[in-house]
Amino acid sequence: MMKSPLVSEVLFQIGPVAIGHQVAATWALMCALSLFCYLGTRRLEVEAPGRLQVLFETFVETVQSQIRDTMRCEPRRFLPLIATLFLFIFFANLSSLIPGFEPPTASIETDAALALIVFCSVIVQGLRSHGLLGYLRTFAAPSWVMIPLNLLEQLTRTFALMVRLFGNVMSGVFVIAVVLSLAGLFVPIPFMALDLLTGAIQAYIFTVLAMVFIGAAVHEDS
């Protein structure tokens, strides 16, 4: 019997805090990514960079270019957040290919946390760019009548960001689990390849939407 994707299974307790499988999977993924980045950047070379360094530099330059095109500002300020969001979501979706490992992004709690990070980043970057009064004034544009709608927009687009990622990743995991239970081990391989492509696209869409939302808060006057 397949369990509900909205039910979190508790693996162990740390004092009064219950640790679910999605939290443990997120920690494991963050440790693996941190170790991978440490090993890839501990010996950087200028004259003769290794393949892993070239891969990292290509990724950073691609993200910087995407930030310039989407947000129309210098990427240095936003690069750590945008690159981390993409890497985490991409490898979280990719982890669905590991037998017995449920991707953290197939859990509504993880997607809610990612959407909350974007929501807070929009507010912080808006305050940094306009100041408190200037940022609050943007909610009254083009007229003070729009204040309730502009506030509601901030909440609904964050909710949509969470639901979009959760629905797409969870549906892919659900389809593979159903086909695997009915047809055996090798038949679902095309579905797994499709799920891998969907995971990469969803990581890109989530990151681009985060850039659009943050860029809108930074350039609200324009």
Side-chain angles (χ1 to χ4, degrees):
M1 180 177 178
M2 188 169 292
K3 63 183 179 64
S4 170
L6 299 178
V7 176
S8 178
E9 179 184 353
V10 177
L11 291 182
F12 56 89
Q13 297 263 150
I14 299 180
V17 180
I19 304 300
H21 71 86
Q22 77 280 4
V23 176
T26 300
W27 286 352
L29 183 61
M30 288 192 298
C31 290
L33 285 176
S34 299
L35 180 62
F36 178 64
C37 292
Y38 169 74
L39 294 176
T41 57
R42 62 176 177 168
R43 293 177 181 174
L44 298 179
E45 298 286 345
V46 177
E47 299 296 335
R51 293 180 179 178
L52 194 54
Q53 181 179 338
V54 171
L55 177 65
F56 282 174
E57 290 177 351
T58 303
F59 171 73
V60 170
E61 290 175 358
T62 303
V63 176
Q64 286 179 329
S65 174
Q66 192 69 53
I67 292 175
R68 286 193 189 94
D69 294 341
T70 306
M71 302 177 68
R72 301 192 180 284
C73 56
E74 281 302 310
R76 184 181 182 86
R77 176 174 158 191
F78 308 99
L79 179 64
L81 173 66
I82 300 302
T84 302
L85 280 176
F86 179 82
L87 281 178
F88 177 80
I89 297 173
F90 176 73
F91 282 103
N93 296 342
L94 196 67
S95 66
S96 65
L97 300 180
I98 302 174
F101 192 91
E102 184 174 327
T105 43
S107 168
I108 191 70
E109 292 94 339
T110 305
D111 299 330
L114 292 170
L116 186 61
I117 290 173
V118 175
F119 178 76
C120 294
S121 299
V122 169
I123 297 175
V124 170
Q125 297 300 335
L127 290 173
R128 288 184 63 183
S129 299
H130 304 289
L132 178 59
L133 293 179
Y135 180 65
L136 293 177
R137 198 178 295 120
T138 61
F139 288 93
S143 169
W144 64 269
V145 181
M146 298 296 292
I147 291 178
L149 291 179
N150 287 334
L151 290 174
L152 186 62
E153 180 195 11
Q154 295 287 327
L155 299 176
T156 53
R157 70 184 186 183
T158 303
F159 182 75
L161 199 62
M162 172 191 70
V163 172
R164 180 184 292 108
L165 181 61
F166 171 69
N168 284 286
V169 176
M170 186 271 295
S171 61
V173 173
F174 184 78
V175 169
I176 289 178
V178 170
V179 175
L180 188 64
S181 63
L182 295 176
L185 181 61
F186 295 103
V187 176
I189 289 179
F191 291 93
M192 295 172 71
L194 180 61
D195 186 50
L196 176 61
L197 177 63
T198 303
I201 293 174
Q202 291 306 316
Y204 177 75
I205 291 176
F206 189 97
T207 309
V208 168
L209 288 176
M211 286 189 287
V212 170
F213 296 160
I214 296 173
V218 171
H219 301 293
E220 199 71 48
D221 288 337
S222 59

